[in-house]
Amino acid sequence: MGTDTAIAIEPSKILPITPTTLSFEDISFQVRSEDGKEKHLLHGISGTFRSGRLTGILGPSGAGKSSLLNILSGFKTNNVTGRILVDGTPINRRKYRREVSYTPQDVSLLGNLTVTESLEFAADLKLPRKVTKPQQSTMIVDVLQLLGLSKCAQNPVANLSGGEKKRLSIGLELISNPKVMFFDEPTSGLDIIAAMQVVAHLKDLAASGRCVVCVIHQPSSSILQMFDDLLVLSEGHCLYQGALDELVDTFKACGFECPNYYNRADFALEIASLKHEGNLLQLRERAKRQLSTPVLAMEKEAVPNETLNCKEKEAMLVKRVDQGVPETEALPDRQYPSSEWSQFVTLTRRTMLCTFRDMQLTKMRLFAHLFVGILIAIVFYDVGNDGSKVFSNASCLFFFLIFVFFANAMPLVMTFPLETSVFLRERMNNWYSLRAYYFSKLVADFPFLILGPTVFLATAYYLTAQPMECDRILMLWSICIFTSWIAQMSGMLAGSALPIELGVFCVPCSVIPMLVFCGFFVRFSQMFDFLKPFTYFAYFRYSFEGSMQAIYGFDRENLPCTGDFCYFSKVAKLLENFDMLENTFVMDVCGLLVWILVLHVALYMSLVWRMKRTR
């Protein structure tokens, strides 16, 4: 495990950046509460964040700090009014998202990668193709030195301390050299020393010419002293924005006297929490007057020959942030530095590397397929070619499918939520497209989708005395693969749309109707007429029927009988007893493929929904 020892870096050695001034005017945000009423979380917030200065956003819980940060990062756009300007020019949202980075409070990282590998994959995804590998390597070394991660560069991310993970999350975004960097409570969960180190690195980033803004929660006096500017929020209103050294005097002018030797951050939080008597309204109005001046000055400087009448200005103020500049002014270049094919290749390599590195889960999955295959082979030994044991063999085939489904669905229910969190963070920071991630995930998991059922059948098929015919082996293997595919998609869908606790409960529950209507427990002819249509929606019907067709269909010869009388030694009688027509294997495969297609679409829509919900 690495240490939290920081390496002092001169600001001049940090990656150079063009100075940028970020300003925003009349940012308002509202949501619809559970009772249907509109709730305003932000009320006309205006301000300016300057490059070269570290700015902190301070306020009690529910003041609107994270909401403001999400809006200014360009990611949250729904129900937002106001406008954002960079160097006095309204933002083009596509270009703006390439120039900013946003690091949430709880950063999800891929624990099976090393620190260097994490930065290398970030460089492959975030840097244009014209940047050569030697140049990437130089940038990665610089980032490691800047953030004090050189000593743990080859350590797995899972073994890093909390402070090191925070700094690595900063480094992942620093790779693309953003002009504006947002952080949501970067010191949360860290001890005082680690928190000071993280803020010191943020201070260095600001000193290099970047605009660095972060939400801070109850900072100590020593941490607060590192900030240059503060923005204090209270109930969605701005109480103060400006230099840290002017905070006490501004509050004093409005009737709020700060005691001697008192933490200024605690004093500001108490005022924002309405725990001190004073003229709060005057404080809000004073903040509005101070904040409106620099924004208007920047507008005049940006458009000296252009004047706006009141109606035009009002129209601009209520313009939605996500519209940015008009489409005709949008830049012609693409949204991502690398092509979707390059993103797909890089994400596939990363996913497969993480999967192979997670040997504990991989070995357990393979061992489970091998162990259960042997167990089923022992219990159902030599039942496949005996006319007196056909129902036992049908049960054997049914257990084949049950195990294949749960062995491939449940691991993804447990692991995919973490991957989804990583995807949302990276997608929010414009690393890659949804399509590139989606197809890379499907391709990277496909080898394990095939490997598990293959290992399982290799042990169980022969020992249970199933017919040793290549076409029948291939048909049963394909049914198991398709069932495993459905299981994998079901697990990923639950993992992306539901919390882990709910997904673990919902996946088994969702399988129950599929089993009830598959035709194994209750024959189709014995069901009520109004229930029979539901059997066509049960994918286990097509799995079970396809496996029975693979073993007993296509004019299989009569089975030898070891008992006194074997009525079902004629396989046609057996299929008839299960209400199955002969040689419907192709239809069963088509039914499974339809389900696979539906689940693929559902997974894609689930990821789209997660992104929209985050916004």
Side-chain angles (χ1 to χ4, degrees):
M1 182 179 295
T3 64
D4 276 337
T5 304
I7 298 179
I9 302 293
E10 294 294 332
S12 60
K13 295 183 180 180
I14 302 176
L15 299 174
I17 196 72
T18 304
T20 299
T21 299
L22 174 69
S23 57
F24 48 97
E25 186 173 17
D26 282 349
I27 297 295
S28 297
F29 174 53
Q30 60 185 18
V31 295
R32 188 177 297 275
S33 58
E34 296 181 356
D35 57 2
K37 297 181 179 179
E38 296 290 342
K39 181 180 180 181
H40 290 264
L41 299 183
L42 295 176
H43 304 269
I45 304 295
S46 300
T48 301
F49 297 142
R50 290 173 289 170
S51 59
R53 299 179 69 84
L54 177 60
T55 302
I57 301 178
L58 192 66
S61 299
K65 306 184 298 296
S66 296
S67 296
L68 178 61
L69 210 63
N70 289 333
I71 293 168
L72 296 181
S73 67
F75 193 69
K76 185 180 289 296
T77 58
N78 295 334
N79 303 318
V80 177
T81 59
R83 57 176 179 165
I84 303 173
L85 303 96
V86 174
D87 295 329
T89 304
I91 64 169
N92 171 278
R93 188 168 179 269
R94 173 172 290 189
K95 179 182 177 183
Y96 180 70
R97 288 194 61 200
R98 291 198 304 268
E99 297 177 343
V100 304
S101 69
Y102 173 66
T103 303
Q105 177 180 352
D106 298 320
V107 179
S108 298
L109 301 170
L110 297 175
N112 292 315
L113 299 178
T114 65
V115 173
T116 301
E117 288 171 343
S118 299
L119 293 172
E120 288 174 346
F121 281 115
D124 289 338
L125 290 167
K126 302 185 70 176
L127 297 179
R129 296 299 96 186
K130 63 181 181 180
V131 180
T132 63
K133 287 296 182 181
Q135 290 174 324
Q136 287 188 14
S137 299
T138 302
M139 293 178 63
I140 291 172
V141 171
D142 291 342
V143 171
L144 290 172
Q145 293 178 344
L146 167 64
L147 298 175
L149 296 174
S150 298
K151 292 183 179 181
C152 57
Q154 302 305 321
N155 290 6
V157 173
N159 295 340
L160 299 182
S161 66
E164 290 168 341
K165 288 181 179 179
K166 291 281 187 179
R167 282 181 270 149
L168 176 59
S169 67
I170 298 173
L172 294 176
E173 303 306 329
L174 192 59
I175 283 290
S176 58
N177 211 18
K179 295 181 179 180
V180 184
M181 303 187 75
F182 296 101
F183 300 91
D184 190 2
E185 298 195 20
T187 60
S188 176
L190 303 181
D191 59 69
I192 183 64
I193 301 300
M196 290 182 64
Q197 290 170 347
V198 169
V199 177
H201 289 301
L202 298 182
K203 181 78 170 178
D204 288 340
L205 294 178
S208 67
R210 289 174 179 80
C211 182
V212 182
V213 183
C214 62
V215 171
I216 52 175
H217 179 67
Q218 289 185 325
S220 64
S221 297
S222 55
I223 290 179
L224 182 68
Q225 192 61 36
M226 298 184 190
F227 287 86
D228 301 299
D229 299 318
L230 278 186
L231 188 152
V232 182
L233 294 178
S234 174
E235 297 180 337
H237 296 275
C238 180
L239 299 185
Y240 175 80
Q241 196 214 342
L244 173 65
D245 296 335
E246 300 175 5
L247 175 71
V248 174
D249 292 337
T250 301
F251 282 171
K252 183 177 181 180
C254 297
F256 298 97
E257 184 75 29
C258 180
N260 293 331
Y261 310 109
Y262 203 77
N263 187 342
R264 289 173 290 178
D266 292 340
F267 180 64
L269 283 172
E270 290 173 3
I271 293 176
S273 301
L274 310 180
K275 292 185 177 180
H276 284 270
E277 293 185 1
N279 196 333
L280 195 65
L281 184 60
Q282 180 184 356
L283 198 59
R284 291 179 183 176
E285 294 298 327
R286 181 167 182 167
K288 283 185 178 181
R289 290 195 302 269
Q290 290 178 340
L291 294 175
S292 60
T293 303
V295 176
L296 293 176
M298 290 184 63
E299 291 176 13
K300 293 178 181 179
E301 182 179 351
V303 285
N305 298 323
E306 180 180 0
T307 58
L308 299 175
N309 58 38
C310 295
K311 292 184 178 180
E312 290 174 334
K313 184 174 179 61
E314 182 179 358
M316 291 183 66
L317 293 180
V318 299
K319 187 176 183 180
R320 290 176 58 84
V321 174
D322 61 336
Q323 291 175 331
V325 297
E327 188 64 26
T328 56
E329 299 177 26
L331 296 181
D333 53 345
R334 60 192 177 197
Q335 183 175 359
Y336 306 101
S338 58
S339 65
E340 284 199 0
W341 173 253
S342 298
Q343 297 170 20
F344 166 78
V345 172
T346 302
L347 291 171
T348 302
R349 287 194 298 110
R350 189 180 72 171
T351 303
M352 295 189 72
L353 180 60
C354 289
T355 303
F356 282 111
R357 289 273 178 84
D358 191 4
M359 291 307 297
Q360 182 176 2
L361 179 60
T362 303
K363 289 180 179 178
M364 286 183 61
R365 290 177 65 177
L366 294 178
F367 175 77
H369 281 85
L370 181 63
F371 173 77
V372 176
I374 295 174
L375 178 62
I376 291 180
I378 294 174
V379 174
F380 294 97
Y381 181 76
D382 205 24
V383 301
N385 198 34
D386 191 337
S388 64
K389 300 177 181 178
V390 290
F391 285 107
S392 295
N393 195 44
S395 300
C396 176
L397 297 176
F398 186 75
F399 276 109
F400 279 13
L401 303 174
I402 289 288
F403 171 74
V404 165
F405 181 89
F406 282 103
N408 289 278
M410 300 312 295
L412 289 173
V413 175
M414 303 292 293
T415 60
F416 196 62
L418 173 61
E419 297 183 37
T420 305
S421 300
V422 175
F423 158 72
L424 290 174
R425 174 181 59 81
E426 295 175 344
R427 181 68 183 86
M428 179 173 58
N429 284 302
N430 222 42
W431 285 35
Y432 45 75
S433 68
L434 172 59
R435 285 179 298 183
Y437 171 79
Y438 176 76
F439 287 109
S440 69
K441 181 61 181 174
L442 299 182
V443 172
D445 285 343
F446 201 77
F448 293 92
L449 182 150
I450 296 177
L451 184 60
T454 302
V455 171
F456 174 75
L457 282 182
T459 55
Y461 190 92
Y462 174 75
L463 294 177
T464 55
Q466 306 302 331
M468 301 304 295
E469 302 174 23
C470 290
D471 55 344
R472 296 187 186 277
I473 295 174
L474 184 60
M475 285 191 292
L476 183 60
W477 177 79
S478 63
I479 290 295
C480 289
I481 293 298
F482 290 142
T483 304
S484 174
W485 200 342
I486 291 176
Q488 184 186 78
M489 299 307 300
S490 299
M492 293 173 66
L493 179 60
S496 66
L498 302 172
I500 294 179
E501 300 81 1
L502 195 56
V504 171
F505 172 77
C506 288
V507 169
C509 289
S510 67
V511 178
I512 298 301
M514 305 298 172
L515 298 177
V516 170
F517 293 109
C518 75
F520 177 77
F521 298 102
V522 182
R523 309 295 181 262
F524 301 136
S525 59
Q526 298 173 357
M527 293 183 181
F528 294 112
D529 291 338
F530 72 91
L531 292 178
K532 291 180 181 178
F534 292 102
T535 63
Y536 295 100
F537 296 97
Y539 49 75
F540 260 104
R541 167 181 178 158
Y542 303 110
S543 296
F544 178 59
E545 190 173 81
S547 63
M548 292 289 287
Q549 294 289 341
I551 299 300
Y552 293 109
F554 299 96
D555 302 321
R556 181 179 176 179
E557 296 180 354
N558 293 337
L559 302 176
C561 180
T562 60
D564 297 333
F565 175 72
C566 300
Y567 179 77
F568 292 108
S569 61
K570 296 182 179 180
V571 294
K573 295 292 184 180
L574 175 63
L575 296 177
E576 181 182 349
N577 182 75
F578 280 99
D579 295 333
M580 297 179 185
L581 301 175
E582 287 195 60
N583 306 336
T584 59
F585 180 80
V586 175
M587 296 299 298
D588 295 322
V589 170
C590 290
L592 293 174
L593 290 176
V594 169
W595 260 103
I596 290 172
L597 177 62
V598 169
L599 289 173
H600 273 81
V601 174
L603 176 61
Y604 189 89
M605 298 306 297
S606 173
L607 294 174
V608 172
W609 172 74
R610 283 292 300 270
M611 290 192 301
K612 289 185 176 180
R613 190 178 66 173
T614 305
R615 294 184 182 184

